[in-house]
Amino acid sequence: MLHLHTDSVLEVTIHSAHDLKDVEHLGKNDPYARISLEVDNSKFYDKFKTNVINNSGNDASWEETFELREVKDDHNTLYVEILDSEKGADAPIAFTAIPLNQVKESHNQSLSARYDLYNGHGLPQGEVSLTIRIVNPGQESSGRITYDGSFKKANSVVDEEQKKRFKKLILKEKAADVGGAAALGGFAALGAGLLANHLKKSEEAKKRDEALAEDQ
């Protein structure tokens, strides 16, 4: 158990991510990161997420800090997701679960480190750099800490529940892609049908005009 003080704050700075999988069909990834203390709590993920870095590709730098005040004794893991911003459903890139005991046990209860990210198969796919700090009552924020390329590697794991969630996100994004393609195909078919109907009516009108001209 993490056993934080009731008024403690978990301060998380999302520095950057590297060697991300390219999930864009055209162009480069537009990645953003989001975090949660509960594996499938959409409110957490929606509240604690970075800005989108357009055309960032396989690497991204955010340098954004979040203060998680809804910390409970059973919150022992920080869940991280990296996604590619899309017009439809966002495309999942990678995920990871970070045990928070290592933060509790670190010097000054602050840990700046690199963590393995994982793909939908649970295999390593890139890294994310974070600073995680426990701010107890009376302590001040750590201020701005930036990633200088020298962070050491810390422990992250594949959480099976998060892996299931991640696969659902992948299926959702694929379904949105199929739906969008079907809609485009439908519009194309509709357009072709309207054009054919218009040409048919134009031909019929031409024949009527020719018939009237002959009668006169």
Side-chain angles (χ1 to χ4, degrees):
M1 292 291 184
L2 191 58
H3 293 305
L4 295 182
H5 187 281
T6 305
D7 299 321
S8 295
V9 173
L10 192 68
E11 182 185 87
V12 181
T13 299
I14 304 175
H15 296 292
S16 57
H18 302 280
D19 300 323
L20 298 174
K21 179 183 178 182
D22 189 359
V23 297
E24 276 282 2
H25 301 299
L26 295 172
K28 297 181 178 180
N29 288 336
D30 305 313
Y32 67 92
R34 61 188 186 186
I35 56 178
S36 175
L37 289 171
E38 297 175 3
V39 67
D40 205 20
N41 188 330
S42 297
K43 291 183 179 180
F44 260 115
Y45 289 111
D46 290 341
K47 184 175 182 179
F48 302 108
K49 63 181 179 181
T50 67
N51 292 312
V52 174
I53 308 297
N54 292 320
N55 296 315
S56 183
N58 305 109
D59 302 288
S61 179
W62 296 284
E63 298 295 350
E64 296 184 39
T65 299
F66 302 92
E67 293 185 349
L68 285 69
R69 298 180 179 274
E70 302 93 334
V71 184
K72 302 175 183 177
D73 276 345
D74 60 349
H75 288 156
N76 299 310
T77 305
L78 181 71
Y79 300 97
V80 183
E81 295 179 347
I82 312 290
L83 294 94
D84 173 53
S85 179
E86 300 278 1
K87 290 182 179 180
D90 294 339
I93 299 176
F95 71 95
T96 195
I98 299 171
L100 291 175
N101 279 341
Q102 59 191 324
V103 180
K104 181 81 172 179
E105 296 166 0
S106 62
H107 178 64
N108 293 330
Q109 296 186 330
S110 180
L111 181 60
S112 295
R114 296 177 291 115
Y115 302 89
D116 280 334
L117 291 167
Y118 303 95
N119 61 22
H121 300 290
L123 300 175
Q125 181 73 61
E127 292 182 339
V128 63
S129 299
L130 307 174
T131 293
I132 308 173
R133 181 171 182 251
I134 298 170
V135 183
N136 293 312
Q139 289 183 311
E140 294 184 359
S141 171
S142 58
R144 184 172 177 80
I145 298 175
T146 57
Y147 175 56
D148 61 3
S150 65
F151 288 178
K152 294 181 179 180
K153 200 76 165 285
N155 184 39
S156 63
V157 299
V158 175
D159 180 277
E160 289 302 320
E161 289 302 312
Q162 188 183 21
K163 184 179 175 182
K164 290 178 183 178
R165 167 188 164 81
F166 194 78
K167 287 185 174 181
K168 289 179 182 178
L169 293 176
I170 293 174
L171 291 175
K172 180 180 178 181
E173 191 268 336
K174 287 184 177 180
D177 280 351
V178 171
L184 288 175
F187 284 132
L190 177 61
L194 290 173
L195 178 60
N197 190 42
H198 174 73
L199 292 174
K200 181 180 179 181
K201 288 183 178 180
S202 296
E203 186 65 24
E204 290 174 351
K206 180 181 178 181
K207 289 180 179 180
R208 286 198 300 270
D209 291 341
E210 290 175 348
L212 287 174
E214 290 177 0
D215 291 341
Q216 293 177 355

